[in-house]
Amino acid sequence: MNTGTSSLAPASVGGAGLLLWVAVPYACLAVFVAGHVWRYRQDQFGWTSRTSQLLEHRWLRWGSPLFHLGTFMVIAGHVVGLAVPASWTRAVGVDEHLYHAAAVWAGSAAGAAMVAGLGMLCARRLLTRRIRLGTDRSDKVLFPLLSLTVLLGIWATAAHNVLGGGYDYRETVSVWFRGLFALSPRPEAIADAPLLFRLHALSACLLFAAWPFTRLVHVWSAPVGYLVRPYLVYRRRTPAPAAPCRTRSRSRS
Amino acid sequence: MRVLAQIAMVMNLDKCIGCHTCSVTCKQTWTNRTGVEYAWFNNVETKPGIGFPRRYEDQERWRGGWTLDRRGRLMLRSGGRVRRLLSLFSNPHLPALEDYYEPVTYDYDNLLSAPAGPDLPVARPRSVLTGRPTAITWGANWEDGLGGAPEHAGGDPNLSGEWAEKVRFEFEQTFLFHLPRLCEHCLNPACVSACPSGAMYKRAEDGIVLVDQDRCRGWRMCVTACPYKKVYVNHATGKAEKCTFCFPRIEAGQPTVCSETCVGRLRYLGLLLYDADRVGEAAATPDEQDLLDAQRGVFLDPRDPDVIAVARESGIPGDWLEAARRSPVYDLVARYRVALPLHPEYRTLPMVWYVPPLSPVLDAVGAAGGDQDDPDHVFAAVTRLRIPLEYLASLFTAGDTDVVGGVLMKLTALRSYMRAVSLGDAADEADGTALRAVGLDDAEARDLHRLLAVAKYTDRYVVPAAHKEDAAALTAVESGCPVESAGGLSGAGPSAGGRVSLGMPTLRRTSPEGHA
Ligand code: HEM
Ligand code: SF4
Ligand code: SF4
């Protein structure tokens, strides 16, 4: 796959390229979607952040907000970097230089916060015995995979865009990423990207595949509705057993 | 007027012997599971004392309950909605496990498997959380019977300022009582209002406050918001759990487990009708000391024809209204007004009320050389002995000593009157002056005495069963289809993958070194 030419013809990637940059991403995406549907219907009871603050709060006090805020910024950065074509940002007057500077500065801050936070969260998982014993199988997949993805991403950015001469992933990785969702895969676009970017993309695919089976499902339950609902919640037993036996994902699993 | 019914509780504190039977039977029923080892839906604490979790009454620290904002509107003490969402990632006011205590088990196996030797084998304590040997340094009622009081009593948040100093050195000779506590199933529950995912709710039919285990997402804001600290995080499931008021039993017309097993027979269960439209207004009463009256004002007289008519209209069944008329709770709370709410100043409008204990005052009278049976001596003590009175007032009336004093005088008058009656004086010969002074007549005195002293099981627990026609729907709402889980008990709460019907943790702690 490293032998691809600069031509963007689909034929230019081999079988390995197709597997890695088309089959694997789509498979992971399928697992991501199907997994969420399945889990939401089957396991409302397990759908939680699985808070561990009760058992350990000193690391969490700093680690969790740092990690989460860093993550939100990083996600925002990815949305801009991956989903928005460079031509669009240019169209609103953000030239390549400005974009690059913003990405490097904001990205560094976000990345640093995320890495520091995640480091603390991992540290408490490893060092606090109570937390370690409460770490289940899904956590044992999630934390390494999440850390790997984050580290690869940071490393790629640092190596190429902060210390290195600058690499414009918006012309390659982003094209591939958007191709996936446009249903016209462009595996050749990423096939030549530097190794760190490719590894980062792959581990991210795996993270998305693992997502529905871990505590990360709590992300979709971000309680924004709380801002507008009435304070006092009454519930009434339904007056008649209208259809108690139909599967309702809300009230039963 | 929107009439709702609530199943409420009253406890007569003079009768509590602090045996903890209620706590233990409750634990065996609800919290003998991984993840809630440390939780006590019902706990009994010594007062004065630090409480469980430690200093939970210190709302400056824990931010439980409601306050009024500058414009006099109700506001959760832990902050507004945006503030709450911003503190999701780490809740700054969540008690740590150390504020409860480290749950332990014992090396029981060692008792059997230790090799023969000169010493008796012992069962050493081990932390349930780490599996490691641990020293037991705190518990749910560590200072039981004022044990360690000189060291700890100053930690009671109800004792503040110079008063604390005074009490600290005197109260050991003065008074002590036990305070059994469970979720108050408040009319204005702070826990419900703080739940970001809307998983907590108050049942319209019987007022029981529950956590929907399927909708709780583990944001743990309810724990902070509850000023009584009666929501607990299950650290294995990552979800909130709380006292359920034994709703499966209540629905079947049975008393809660803590009531059923109470050794002192001091608990009463019954319905209260209340006007849901007036809850918010009552909770926002400007002066804390008016909250008691405001809350009483929300309760409706079950004999009032208007109330009955509206209640019937809003679907409260006839046998429930009948039960409301026989409710011992209504009598103690609203008719004789001898029961008081715990910490009304938290503004949650709690629904477990207490007949304050007379014993601290009687003890003080005795210690001062007075006659405990002479109402004049007791009355004098009630007005003069500031310490027990102010302490009780800080628990039950937001500091208003007149109200607590009034209740204690009522109990004293009742006590001496009934003493005279049962020692053989004919009722009309017994001196009724003291009785009249507290606003009771002979018939009322006998009725109140019957209720407080001799009431039988069926008089103490007037619990109407949930309606059969609702029952199927109820089970469906709480635990999924009753048919699908046929054969199994489709009990309360969560069901994982349609298999588990009680809140069983998904995480099974692999018992470290075979213990846990
Ligand atoms: C959408 C808004 C989000 C909210 C409200 C939220 C909230 C929370 C909360 C309350 C916890 C539990 C902390 C504790 O008490 O132990 C948590 C843990 C966690 N969250 Fe989030 N989160 C959000 C988004 C995310 C995102 C986008 C990610 C990453 C992709 C993420 C990853 C994690 C991880 C890995 C943990 C586990 C921390 C640990 O226990 O070590 N969260 N989150
Ligand atoms: S006492 Fe019960 S109902 Fe009241 S706020 Fe606490 S948990 Fe909620
Ligand atoms: S069982 Fe009754 S007497 Fe015993 S501690 Fe509980 S409330 Fe008090």
Side-chain angles (χ1 to χ4, degrees), chain A residues 49 51-53 60 67-68 71-72 75 121 124-125 143 146 211 215-216 218-219 222, chain B residues 88-89 219-220:
Chain A
S49 71
T51 168
S52 55
Q53 185 178 347
L60 189 89
F67 167 75
H68 279 95
T71 304
F72 294 146
I75 290 175
L121 292 179
R124 71 195 271 277
R125 285 238 155 239
F143 280 87
L146 187 59
W211 193 297
R215 63 167 89 217
L216 284 190
H218 75 274
V219 173
Chain B
L88 273 179
F89 307 122
W219 306 130
R220 39 144 172 65

Side-chain angles (χ1 to χ4, degrees), chain A residues 42 44-45 47-49 51 53-54 64 129-130 221 226 229 233-238 245 252-253, chain B residues 81 84 89 91 97-98 102 130 193 195 202 204-205 212 214 217-218 220 239 481 484 494-495:
Chain A
Q42 291 302 312
Q44 280 296 311
F45 181 51
W47 194 286
T48 154
S49 71
T51 168
Q53 185 178 347
L54 178 78
S64 179
R129 193 175 158 82
R130 286 176 184 171
S221 296
Y226 179 64
R229 81 159 162 81
V233 180
Y234 288 104
R235 276 207 218 166
R236 194 164 263 289
R237 310 164 187 157
T238 29
C245 289
R252 64 174 304 276
S253 56
Chain B
R81 300 179 195 239
R84 186 156 307 101
F89 307 122
N91 178 348
L97 192 83
E98 287 68 28
E102 174 122 9
T130 63
S193 302
C195 172
K202 187 170 181 68
E205 285 82 357
D212 183 335
D214 276 356
R217 302 294 179 227
R220 39 144 172 65
K239 300 212 165 192
C481 173
E484 270 173 341
S495 41

Side-chain angles (χ1 to χ4, degrees), chain B residues 11 15-23 25 42 44 178 180 258 261-267:
Chain B
M11 293 190 229
K15 291 194 183 184
C16 181
I17 58 174
C19 64
H20 299 267
T21 306
C22 46
S23 307
T25 50
N42 182 106
V44 182
H178 295 281
C258 55
T261 58
C262 175
V263 171
R265 303 183 179 187
L266 55 90
R267 298 190 183 219

Side-chain angles (χ1 to χ4, degrees), chain B residues 247-267:
Chain B
F247 72 86
R249 290 177 59 94
I250 294 287
E251 281 163 16
Q254 295 172 343
T256 64
V257 167
C258 55
S259 307
E260 172 82 49
T261 58
C262 175
V263 171
R265 303 183 179 187
L266 55 90
R267 298 190 183 219

Side-chain angles (χ1 to χ4, degrees), chain B residues 15-37:
Chain B
K15 291 194 183 184
C16 181
I17 58 174
C19 64
H20 299 267
T21 306
C22 46
S23 307
V24 171
T25 50
C26 171
K27 189 150 202 51
Q28 294 292 22
T29 309
W30 291 104
T31 56
N32 56 354
R33 290 166 290 126
T34 311
V36 280
E37 309 91 345

Side-chain angles (χ1 to χ4, degrees), chain B residues 182-186 189-192 200 209 225-231 242 348:
Chain B
L182 60 154
C183 166
E184 302 275 348
H185 297 275
C186 308
C191 57
V192 170
M200 298 190 71
V209 175
C226 172
Y228 304 94
K229 290 294 169 278
K230 279 297 171 183
V231 193
K242 64 179 287 299
T348 61

